[in-house]
């Protein structure tokens, strides 16, 4: 039963194979759902209106597969893509599950492990390229430390940068149209991870050899774990021209990595995020990096996937109503929201301009400026009511 | 009674006038201590072995002072500095206390407020310069928002950058030898602040007009509020060449801004921080941005100040013992800590080098690599025992 | 313009004088709004549809007032109540603002301070009784510690209990129909507060001399600061028969005490809370312990107050739609939500019953039990859509 | 090489089989260490100086074992205990790993699952009793919810209480000398767990049928996840006479459940905890519920175990030095710490006593009371220096 919140491929919704394929294992419990064939995932997601699927190398081609097995898997997977029109916009590497990465991957102390991680990534880049991926995500799940003495952070950042540079060089050598997107996370599974927030990763990009090839893949849950505003982080990415991909899900502050269905927690932040993406003209993917609750059987997984997309569309519609709501627009004027775009010193920071500013300000009436109300309570309440469907 | 943890000016310890001058007001309680004359602060801190004092404009020259009053205040303050040999290495602006800044300062929606804030900062820069400050700190305590609809983040970052650029231009015009240090904070007093972490601020600097003039003033409490590792943040600042100043104090994760005595909470992170600063050859200030508990009378303030410095020196001595401890050094070798400095691909990311890496790795024994233990439990326990004075 | 979300006194909404009277001072900033006359507060709140007002002793009668002044204030205040029909359902004591309480009030180390705090509370109980308050709230804002060595927790709990017992004894002696409600909070202004959560306070009540006279005043912001579910906490209060009062506001996890407008953050938890209160037949007050953003002038305060009540009513209507929604009700059946009310061992824990349970279970098919799906994704999505006004 | 921090059985240190047997699996990674034979665990721990081992039913007797297999396992395990003198002071049930418990165990919506969970617990109680356990721990790892609509909290608490009552009844029927210890946790693996803190569990015990048989097993990591003071929580347990067992480890606030080596994080809270346990005369076990970092091989596990015990002993020695330190004792007198034990109203809350208190207080000099300093900065600094081995 289609309603206005039924997704279509034009909405650019994607899921990782590992998301709908998540079997419900957690630190305290065993798997509760059977394995999901990637081909089935493609078909089911296509039926639900998704645009594409993404994967880690190991999600699609099990470690240890022979070249022939790999070939067979790809052929079958490509057929599913062709049959459904689904795309693979993004690929990534699993550098965290296998014991070899227990002390780090790109930033492991042992150079052999680092080389192993880089080679695995290069292979995975080729796999991604073969299937048409133009964005390559890098999440450094083991790049961090618990016993701080064991790891020199400066050297770790050097090695991290070196590894990303090698991957960029390789993509350039091969002529791949591929951009890299770093995914920050503050902690878990390591006690502290390097590049813990969107900010740290943005700064890091500036030190790389080909900074234009590298941007960010911010994730709702990861930024929220630290109590930071996710939509502020995404806005700063956009400000730097560095939003290359995005991972949508839900999370409560200060908890384990929950990867809940998009919009199920943090509704307000999710609303501002959707509004930001839509109003910024973001034409990339809306990727869901989440999984179904462990209470679910195989059917529940598709309820989960459907829910992620529906909530996005509901929030998108709310953002459209926001723009059309006369009371809200008037409240924005009271808040002088439109005036933040005006330069503070229109002619730029020339000596004359600065002198002029100083002499002007000497004539200001501080009390009058201080006395103005900005009407944020009214504005925020209007948004709350809009969000709750009460206007 | 001097012991080996008694500070001297060579240790480069500084305090803000607002720290020892804090009167114990908090959101739920009135002032408990009398005002402290800045001149007395200088004398007392000098006696305790500090190197200098820092201030907000309003700490030294009360708002509304006439030019003559300002002159008198400065003359008296300079005499105290001269009498004691104390320095003013850093100055900053109070852009948060007065009602005029309630909606923001550099990022206020109202252009007049922004201009007011910039002019106040320019005045304060001159005050700092007059007293010899070479570092100018910018903490944007009101640059943020609770009602997200009211504030376009992208425009706010534009205005933030514009204001910093104006200040840089002014310092250049005047020929001041002054560097600017941004101080990030995630929240409080605003619901969310812009540039919430060290990472976000580092990235922001890259977009400024004179990025070489601007660096960071990371604060222990601010980064810790978000649950991030402070010494990792400082290490990343150093990696970018952007540690311009540092604010030391103590804080529990996920709480109000506590500004406790340095080392009183987060001992482990404090130890690694001191070790990092000392081993990096940091020759700047060790500034304490903290205040005495509200339980203290005027005498307790000096116990507080003495304690900040003593704990730093105790941790510095522990860092020296770390370097000299044969068991720890051997545990570092087991952890292969020294090998993180080696390039993963020594010849750089040439096509041949990359091809060589891939063919080498094909011969690796993953199980053997995965099977190695890194001895982090032993290493970390040795550090714990060192820190607790048990070795 | 009245709509279905316009409150009336029947809705039992109350505000503290200190909430609408909050002047916008915060740890980093001065007051931004003029003082509000309590009489004006009563009139304005009555116009908005509130049921009553609550106060701390010092909110109504400034410290140091003479008996005559007190009389005059009460006369004027009573007239405002009479003119508007507003009630005073709850009163409380300010044991946190004045310097005398800097080290604690009921749990101060100094016996004289404890006696001072108790006497102030007894006076305030009489003030409350005079104005008809039947609930007396106790928030121990200074009952805690930063320097743990200074405070024996066991002795502190003894003194805390002693003080509450004295207040109960006094109310009994005077024949007041008054119940006491403890308000837990984890931290702020102290580093750690005693009775930090609803649970700790519930347990504490069990050790008092007249436990029936003492219950809880849980506060949304306080429980949320620790990342706990507020509606779970209130549900446990109700389970113990100990919900005596409630403080509604909004808060983000792991931050300073924000006291935001009800529903502005944590919408989902707020919804379940309103649903719980309404479905439990709670006939007490819906008290808002919050304040307007510092961006607001005097008018914004009334937008704030109006917003708190409107959001409650919007969520109440959503709870009613929840109960009437056939899809949601069917999803609840799939989740077997109704079966949690059935005893696991209907006959009680007799030896025979237990033996029977064990032999029955031996015949269970664990795999079949494990294989069932509970449909939580679908259920939760339906609730999300209901909440967002999309069903 | 024994030093004064080498444990002996008199120190009452115990470990769970699951702690040293932890194989390093985490949400993002596979096992890194081979299985550990429980018999080997007993021998190794005995060599290290531990007093005993604890287990979940499934740790010792794998699910699906026949009666004969069970018998064989127990015989072999008992021999290891006899050979080493190790004890089994505590046992518990695994009600969280298997898929059947995915929606809850004692509070599952499905009555059959609840009965299954109760029967498994009764079997496990018998296993514990056979091996001499006198404490039975209950951690409700699946007792909670993500989709709040699915679970009525009040009914869940009813079922939780029913299950505990059945277990108590069974122990009474069998004549076991066994006490039950509830282990609270705020979240993980469920979004929110019931009985989230020590406080909530203490209150819950008061509603049980045999409250004297049930107490608490507080865990350092669990209380710390919520940002609460662990030693305050344990002190409140002791105040209620409800400390029945304790789980020691380390944790950073607001993170995933880290279960780090005792004392490796939160040193200050760990110190006050050890001081509290030792000074309270706690004669129960010091149980470590922690595991080695994933970077460790099999040897690292024993470094981990050794480290837990050594740090406890180091902190115990620090607590002894605290008691003997004249400066600290004098600072405690300045803080009036000893006066908190004095009743505020020595004769009890009689009408006369209360009247006397009120009239006495009328003569107090508030300013003089308020003006006293408590010397907490000095006291806390002395403790910091003691802890860091600098005095």
């Amino acid at each position: 039963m289609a309603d206005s919140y039924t997704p279509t491929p034009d909405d650019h919704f994607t899921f990782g194979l590992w998301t709908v394929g998540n079997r419900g294992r957690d630190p305290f419990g065993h798997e509760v759902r059977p394995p999901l064939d990637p081909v089935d995932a493609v078909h089911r997601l296509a039926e639900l209106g998704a645009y594409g699927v993404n994967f880690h190398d190991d999600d699609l081609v099990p470690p240890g597969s022979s070249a022939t097995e790999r070939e067979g898997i790809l052929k079958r997977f490509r057929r599913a893509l062709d049959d459904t029109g689904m795309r693979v916009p993004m690929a990534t590497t699993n550098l965290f599950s296998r014991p070899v990465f227990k002390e780090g991957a790109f930033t492991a102390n042992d150079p052999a492990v680092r080389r192993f991680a880089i080679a695995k990534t290069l292979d995975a880049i080729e796999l991604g390229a073969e299937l048409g991926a133009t964005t390559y995500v890098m999440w450094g799940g083991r790049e961090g430390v618990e016993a701080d003495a064991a790891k020199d952070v400066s050297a770790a950042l050097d090695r991290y940068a070196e590894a990303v540079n090698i991957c960029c060089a390789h993509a350039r050598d091969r002529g791949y149209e591929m951009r890299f997107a770093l995914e920050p996370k503050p902690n878990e599974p390591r006690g502290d991870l390097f590049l813990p927030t969107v900010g740290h990763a943005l700064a890091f990009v500036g030190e790389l050899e080909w900074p234009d090839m590298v941007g960010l893949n911010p994730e709702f849950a990861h930024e929220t774990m630290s109590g930071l505003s996710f939509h502020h982080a995404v806005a700063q990415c956009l400000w730097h021209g560095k939003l290359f991909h995005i991972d949508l899900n839900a999370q409560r502050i200060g908890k384990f990595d929950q990867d809940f269905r998009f919009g199920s927690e943090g509704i307000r932040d999710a609303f501002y995020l959707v509004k930001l993406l839509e109003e910024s003209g973001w034409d990339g993917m809306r990727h869901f990096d989440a999984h179904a609750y462990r209470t679910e059987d195989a059917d529940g997984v598709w309820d989960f996937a459907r829910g992620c997309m529906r909530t996005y569309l509901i929030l998108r519609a709310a953002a459209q109503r926001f723009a059309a709501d006369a009371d809200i627009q008037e409240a924005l004027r009271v808040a002088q929201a439109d005036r933040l775009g005006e330069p503070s010193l229109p002619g730029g920071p020339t000596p004359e301009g600065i002198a002029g500013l100083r002499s002007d300000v000497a004539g200001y009436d501080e009390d009058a400026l201080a006395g103005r109300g900005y009407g944020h309570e009214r504005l925020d309440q209007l948004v709350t009511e809009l969000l709750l469907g009460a206007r």
Side-chain angles (χ1 to χ4, degrees), chain A:
Chain A
M1 184 191 59
D3 60 13
S4 62
Y5 306 126
T6 304
T8 73
D10 288 346
D11 297 318
H12 284 183
F13 292 129
T14 58
F15 288 83
L17 286 182
W18 69 94
T19 65
V20 290
N22 178 288
R23 300 185 57 200
R25 203 189 80 170
D26 71 24
F28 298 92
H30 305 316
E31 286 78 357
V32 295
R33 290 184 289 266
L36 176 67
D37 183 331
V39 163
D40 290 344
V42 169
H43 282 281
R44 293 300 299 260
L45 287 169
E47 286 164 30
L48 293 178
Y51 174 88
V53 289
N54 304 318
F55 53 77
H56 299 92
D57 48 355
D58 299 348
D59 299 337
L60 186 60
V61 183
S65 300
S66 70
T68 317
E69 286 163 340
R70 182 182 186 280
E71 191 65 20
I73 288 166
L74 258 64
K75 192 170 169 190
R76 200 171 153 260
F77 189 68
R78 259 206 213 89
R79 190 180 313 131
L81 295 174
D82 291 344
D83 289 351
T84 56
M86 292 275 279
R87 305 293 193 83
V88 174
M90 179 269 270
T92 184
T93 327
N94 182 327
L95 294 177
F96 42 87
S97 294
R98 283 147 71 176
V100 68
F101 302 123
K102 67 188 181 188
E103 203 271 332
F106 290 166
T107 65
N109 282 352
D110 183 338
V113 173
R114 295 199 297 270
R115 292 167 66 85
F116 188 88
I118 292 167
K120 187 173 194 290
T121 303
L122 297 175
D123 290 347
I125 287 171
E126 309 222 328
L127 177 67
E130 277 186 71
L131 288 162
T134 53
T135 300
Y136 202 84
V137 163
M138 290 177 162
W139 173 56
R142 298 285 166 198
E143 318 300 359
V145 67
E146 294 82 32
D148 280 303
K151 200 68 88 173
D152 181 275
V153 176
S154 179
L157 294 174
D158 283 342
R159 294 290 79 72
Y160 214 146
E162 183 187 18
V164 178
N165 286 337
I166 293 170
C167 294
C168 287
H170 184 69
R172 296 168 66 91
D173 294 344
R174 297 287 164 116
Y176 296 152
E177 295 255 9
M178 197 174 260
R179 299 199 304 177
F180 294 86
L182 304 176
E183 179 178 323
K185 190 177 182 186
N187 66 83
E188 193 186 348
R190 304 306 300 267
D192 286 290
L193 289 166
F194 303 129
L195 310 182
T197 76
V198 160
H200 296 76
L202 282 170
F204 173 81
V205 169
E207 306 289 329
L208 297 174
E209 192 150 350
W210 295 281
D212 290 351
M213 294 179 72
V214 187
L216 269 279
N217 177 42
E219 175 167 329
F220 196 106
H222 295 179
E223 211 73 2
T224 304
M225 286 166 70
S226 297
L228 302 172
S229 163
F230 184 60
H231 82 272
H232 281 207
V234 174
Q236 188 168 349
C237 282
L238 287 164
W239 188 71
H240 289 275
K242 286 298 185 193
L243 185 68
F244 280 17
H245 198 259
I246 193 162
D247 273 3
L248 304 177
N249 48 25
Q251 172 76 30
R252 286 255 291 285
I253 295 172
K255 315 276 182 201
F256 67 99
D257 185 12
Q258 299 182 313
D259 283 347
F260 285 151
R261 197 179 70 257
F262 180 62
S264 63
E265 294 276 0
I267 296 176
R268 192 180 149 97
D269 202 0
F271 165 70
Y272 281 111
L273 172 74
V274 169
K275 181 171 176 294
L276 173 71
L277 287 179
E278 297 297 322
E279 295 180 354
S280 74
W282 167 248
D283 61 357
M285 297 299 114
R286 279 82 176 152
H287 178 242
F288 298 104
D289 185 7
H291 56 73
Y293 302 133
R294 197 167 173 270
T295 50
E296 303 306 285
D297 60 13
D299 286 345
V301 169
W302 309 111
D303 289 326
F304 149 80
R306 197 182 287 112
C308 285
M309 296 187 283
R310 284 181 65 80
T311 298
Y312 188 98
L313 294 175
I314 291 167
L315 295 175
R316 188 173 73 185
Q320 289 160 352
R321 285 184 287 125
F322 179 103
D325 187 307
D327 288 341
I328 289 177
Q329 295 305 314
E330 197 256 327
L332 288 171
R333 275 187 296 275
V334 170
Q336 304 193 46
D338 51 325
R339 304 203 64 191
L340 190 57
E342 298 175 17
S344 302
L345 187 52
T350 61
E352 300 71 34
I354 291 174
L357 180 149
R358 299 181 81 184
S359 64
D360 278 6
V361 166
Y364 285 6
D365 178 347
E366 179 178 350
D367 288 342
L369 283 177
R372 286 185 196 159
Y374 289 87
H376 287 193
E377 289 287 354
R378 177 168 147 77
L379 171 59
D380 198 69
Q381 179 66 20
L382 289 169
V383 177
T384 299
E385 298 189 14
L386 180 93
L387 204 45
L388 296 177
R391 61 179 299 119

PDB file of all heavy atoms in Angstrom, chain A residues 355-375:
ATOM      1  N   ALA A 355      38.817  50.575  11.263  1.00  0.00           N
ATOM      2  CA  ALA A 355      38.695  51.843  12.002  1.00  0.00           C
ATOM      3  C   ALA A 355      37.253  52.322  11.990  1.00  0.00           C
ATOM      4  O   ALA A 355      36.721  52.780  13.015  1.00  0.00           O
ATOM      5  CB  ALA A 355      39.618  52.890  11.388  1.00  0.00           C
ATOM      6  N   GLY A 356      36.599  52.186  10.861  1.00  0.00           N
ATOM      7  CA  GLY A 356      35.196  52.599  10.754  1.00  0.00           C
ATOM      8  C   GLY A 356      34.310  51.800  11.676  1.00  0.00           C
ATOM      9  O   GLY A 356      33.438  52.344  12.363  1.00  0.00           O
ATOM     10  N   LEU A 357      34.540  50.502  11.712  1.00  0.00           N
ATOM     11  CA  LEU A 357      33.752  49.640  12.592  1.00  0.00           C
ATOM     12  C   LEU A 357      33.918  50.105  14.041  1.00  0.00           C
ATOM     13  O   LEU A 357      32.936  50.222  14.772  1.00  0.00           O
ATOM     14  CB  LEU A 357      34.215  48.198  12.415  1.00  0.00           C
ATOM     15  CG  LEU A 357      33.516  47.115  13.238  1.00  0.00           C
ATOM     16  CD1 LEU A 357      33.499  45.794  12.477  1.00  0.00           C
ATOM     17  CD2 LEU A 357      34.138  46.916  14.604  1.00  0.00           C
ATOM     18  N   ARG A 358      35.153  50.361  14.436  1.00  0.00           N
ATOM     19  CA  ARG A 358      35.387  50.756  15.827  1.00  0.00           C
ATOM     20  C   ARG A 358      34.719  52.079  16.158  1.00  0.00           C
ATOM     21  O   ARG A 358      34.174  52.243  17.257  1.00  0.00           O
ATOM     22  CB  ARG A 358      36.889  50.825  16.115  1.00  0.00           C
ATOM     23  CG  ARG A 358      37.563  49.472  15.919  1.00  0.00           C
ATOM     24  CD  ARG A 358      39.046  49.517  16.217  1.00  0.00           C
ATOM     25  NE  ARG A 358      39.300  49.420  17.644  1.00  0.00           N
ATOM     26  CZ  ARG A 358      40.504  49.508  18.192  1.00  0.00           C
ATOM     27  NH1 ARG A 358      41.560  49.734  17.424  1.00  0.00           N
ATOM     28  NH2 ARG A 358      40.651  49.388  19.486  1.00  0.00           N
ATOM     29  N   SER A 359      34.753  52.996  15.238  1.00  0.00           N
ATOM     30  CA  SER A 359      34.145  54.294  15.570  1.00  0.00           C
ATOM     31  C   SER A 359      32.617  54.192  15.540  1.00  0.00           C
ATOM     32  O   SER A 359      31.936  54.781  16.381  1.00  0.00           O
ATOM     33  CB  SER A 359      34.668  55.399  14.652  1.00  0.00           C
ATOM     34  OG  SER A 359      34.278  55.152  13.331  1.00  0.00           O
ATOM     35  N   ASP A 360      32.087  53.418  14.617  1.00  0.00           N
ATOM     36  CA  ASP A 360      30.630  53.185  14.604  1.00  0.00           C
ATOM     37  C   ASP A 360      30.153  52.622  15.933  1.00  0.00           C
ATOM     38  O   ASP A 360      29.175  53.066  16.524  1.00  0.00           O
ATOM     39  CB  ASP A 360      30.250  52.128  13.556  1.00  0.00           C
ATOM     40  CG  ASP A 360      30.150  52.707  12.162  1.00  0.00           C
ATOM     41  OD1 ASP A 360      30.479  53.902  11.986  1.00  0.00           O
ATOM     42  OD2 ASP A 360      29.770  51.944  11.249  1.00  0.00           O
ATOM     43  N   VAL A 361      30.836  51.576  16.366  1.00  0.00           N
ATOM     44  CA  VAL A 361      30.381  50.841  17.541  1.00  0.00           C
ATOM     45  C   VAL A 361      30.374  51.722  18.781  1.00  0.00           C
ATOM     46  O   VAL A 361      29.523  51.566  19.667  1.00  0.00           O
ATOM     47  CB  VAL A 361      31.263  49.584  17.748  1.00  0.00           C
ATOM     48  CG1 VAL A 361      31.062  48.985  19.114  1.00  0.00           C
ATOM     49  CG2 VAL A 361      30.958  48.554  16.656  1.00  0.00           C
ATOM     50  N   ALA A 362      31.300  52.687  18.816  1.00  0.00           N
ATOM     51  CA  ALA A 362      31.344  53.595  19.959  1.00  0.00           C
ATOM     52  C   ALA A 362      30.007  54.294  20.174  1.00  0.00           C
ATOM     53  O   ALA A 362      29.661  54.690  21.286  1.00  0.00           O
ATOM     54  CB  ALA A 362      32.465  54.615  19.764  1.00  0.00           C
ATOM     55  N   GLY A 363      29.232  54.400  19.097  1.00  0.00           N
ATOM     56  CA  GLY A 363      27.937  55.063  19.211  1.00  0.00           C
ATOM     57  C   GLY A 363      26.771  54.127  19.490  1.00  0.00           C
ATOM     58  O   GLY A 363      25.623  54.564  19.574  1.00  0.00           O
ATOM     59  N   TYR A 364      27.027  52.851  19.622  1.00  0.00           N
ATOM     60  CA  TYR A 364      25.931  51.897  19.845  1.00  0.00           C
ATOM     61  C   TYR A 364      25.340  52.038  21.244  1.00  0.00           C
ATOM     62  O   TYR A 364      26.041  52.395  22.189  1.00  0.00           O
ATOM     63  CB  TYR A 364      26.421  50.459  19.691  1.00  0.00           C
ATOM     64  CG  TYR A 364      26.656  50.001  18.270  1.00  0.00           C
ATOM     65  CD1 TYR A 364      26.561  50.867  17.191  1.00  0.00           C
ATOM     66  CD2 TYR A 364      26.986  48.667  18.008  1.00  0.00           C
ATOM     67  CE1 TYR A 364      26.790  50.419  15.898  1.00  0.00           C
ATOM     68  CE2 TYR A 364      27.213  48.219  16.717  1.00  0.00           C
ATOM     69  CZ  TYR A 364      27.117  49.094  15.665  1.00  0.00           C
ATOM     70  OH  TYR A 364      27.327  48.647  14.404  1.00  0.00           O
ATOM     71  N   ASP A 365      24.087  51.671  21.362  1.00  0.00           N
ATOM     72  CA  ASP A 365      23.416  51.650  22.664  1.00  0.00           C
ATOM     73  C   ASP A 365      23.373  50.198  23.121  1.00  0.00           C
ATOM     74  O   ASP A 365      22.498  49.433  22.724  1.00  0.00           O
ATOM     75  CB  ASP A 365      22.003  52.230  22.507  1.00  0.00           C
ATOM     76  CG  ASP A 365      21.216  52.196  23.805  1.00  0.00           C
ATOM     77  OD1 ASP A 365      21.658  51.511  24.773  1.00  0.00           O
ATOM     78  OD2 ASP A 365      20.143  52.831  23.854  1.00  0.00           O
ATOM     79  N   GLU A 366      24.336  49.832  23.960  1.00  0.00           N
ATOM     80  CA  GLU A 366      24.445  48.423  24.370  1.00  0.00           C
ATOM     81  C   GLU A 366      23.171  47.917  25.019  1.00  0.00           C
ATOM     82  O   GLU A 366      22.733  46.795  24.769  1.00  0.00           O
ATOM     83  CB  GLU A 366      25.634  48.237  25.325  1.00  0.00           C
ATOM     84  CG  GLU A 366      25.770  46.787  25.785  1.00  0.00           C
ATOM     85  CD  GLU A 366      26.964  46.524  26.694  1.00  0.00           C
ATOM     86  OE1 GLU A 366      27.827  47.412  26.840  1.00  0.00           O
ATOM     87  OE2 GLU A 366      27.036  45.413  27.251  1.00  0.00           O
ATOM     88  N   ASP A 367      22.572  48.741  25.875  1.00  0.00           N
ATOM     89  CA  ASP A 367      21.371  48.277  26.575  1.00  0.00           C
ATOM     90  C   ASP A 367      20.239  47.985  25.602  1.00  0.00           C
ATOM     91  O   ASP A 367      19.485  47.017  25.786  1.00  0.00           O
ATOM     92  CB  ASP A 367      20.908  49.322  27.596  1.00  0.00           C
ATOM     93  CG  ASP A 367      21.856  49.376  28.778  1.00  0.00           C
ATOM     94  OD1 ASP A 367      22.639  48.416  28.971  1.00  0.00           O
ATOM     95  OD2 ASP A 367      21.820  50.383  29.511  1.00  0.00           O
ATOM     96  N   ALA A 368      20.117  48.816  24.579  1.00  0.00           N
ATOM     97  CA  ALA A 368      19.055  48.585  23.600  1.00  0.00           C
ATOM     98  C   ALA A 368      19.314  47.276  22.847  1.00  0.00           C
ATOM     99  O   ALA A 368      18.408  46.464  22.647  1.00  0.00           O
ATOM    100  CB  ALA A 368      18.974  49.763  22.619  1.00  0.00           C
ATOM    101  N   LEU A 369      20.572  47.070  22.462  1.00  0.00           N
ATOM    102  CA  LEU A 369      20.912  45.822  21.777  1.00  0.00           C
ATOM    103  C   LEU A 369      20.644  44.622  22.671  1.00  0.00           C
ATOM    104  O   LEU A 369      20.153  43.581  22.224  1.00  0.00           O
ATOM    105  CB  LEU A 369      22.410  45.811  21.401  1.00  0.00           C
ATOM    106  CG  LEU A 369      22.847  46.629  20.199  1.00  0.00           C
ATOM    107  CD1 LEU A 369      24.372  46.545  20.047  1.00  0.00           C
ATOM    108  CD2 LEU A 369      22.164  46.118  18.923  1.00  0.00           C
ATOM    109  N   ALA A 370      21.003  44.771  23.952  1.00  0.00           N
ATOM    110  CA  ALA A 370      20.867  43.665  24.891  1.00  0.00           C
ATOM    111  C   ALA A 370      19.410  43.374  25.223  1.00  0.00           C
ATOM    112  O   ALA A 370      19.050  42.251  25.582  1.00  0.00           O
ATOM    113  CB  ALA A 370      21.626  43.984  26.183  1.00  0.00           C
ATOM    114  N   GLY A 371      18.574  44.381  25.089  1.00  0.00           N
ATOM    115  CA  GLY A 371      17.194  44.239  25.526  1.00  0.00           C
ATOM    116  C   GLY A 371      16.283  43.500  24.559  1.00  0.00           C
ATOM    117  O   GLY A 371      15.217  43.026  24.943  1.00  0.00           O
ATOM    118  N   ARG A 372      16.715  43.401  23.335  1.00  0.00           N
ATOM    119  CA  ARG A 372      15.875  42.723  22.339  1.00  0.00           C
ATOM    120  C   ARG A 372      15.655  41.250  22.667  1.00  0.00           C
ATOM    121  O   ARG A 372      16.573  40.547  23.054  1.00  0.00           O
ATOM    122  CB  ARG A 372      16.578  42.757  20.977  1.00  0.00           C
ATOM    123  CG  ARG A 372      16.557  44.085  20.318  1.00  0.00           C
ATOM    124  CD  ARG A 372      17.172  43.988  18.932  1.00  0.00           C
ATOM    125  NE  ARG A 372      17.481  45.321  18.456  1.00  0.00           N
ATOM    126  CZ  ARG A 372      18.359  45.588  17.506  1.00  0.00           C
ATOM    127  NH1 ARG A 372      19.018  44.590  16.906  1.00  0.00           N
ATOM    128  NH2 ARG A 372      18.562  46.828  17.130  1.00  0.00           N
ATOM    129  N   GLY A 373      14.444  40.779  22.409  1.00  0.00           N
ATOM    130  CA  GLY A 373      14.161  39.352  22.525  1.00  0.00           C
ATOM    131  C   GLY A 373      14.241  38.720  21.149  1.00  0.00           C
ATOM    132  O   GLY A 373      13.949  39.377  20.145  1.00  0.00           O
ATOM    133  N   TYR A 374      14.616  37.461  21.109  1.00  0.00           N
ATOM    134  CA  TYR A 374      14.806  36.805  19.817  1.00  0.00           C
ATOM    135  C   TYR A 374      13.706  35.789  19.495  1.00  0.00           C
ATOM    136  O   TYR A 374      13.719  35.191  18.434  1.00  0.00           O
ATOM    137  CB  TYR A 374      16.197  36.169  19.753  1.00  0.00           C
ATOM    138  CG  TYR A 374      17.271  37.235  19.658  1.00  0.00           C
ATOM    139  CD1 TYR A 374      17.813  37.814  20.802  1.00  0.00           C
ATOM    140  CD2 TYR A 374      17.694  37.710  18.413  1.00  0.00           C
ATOM    141  CE1 TYR A 374      18.763  38.819  20.714  1.00  0.00           C
ATOM    142  CE2 TYR A 374      18.644  38.718  18.321  1.00  0.00           C
ATOM    143  CZ  TYR A 374      19.174  39.268  19.471  1.00  0.00           C
ATOM    144  OH  TYR A 374      20.105  40.265  19.364  1.00  0.00           O
ATOM    145  N   GLY A 375      12.804  35.600  20.439  1.00  0.00           N
ATOM    146  CA  GLY A 375      11.655  34.743  20.146  1.00  0.00           C
ATOM    147  C   GLY A 375      11.998  33.294  19.858  1.00  0.00           C
ATOM    148  O   GLY A 375      11.269  32.622  19.119  1.00  0.00           O
TER     149      GLY A 375
END
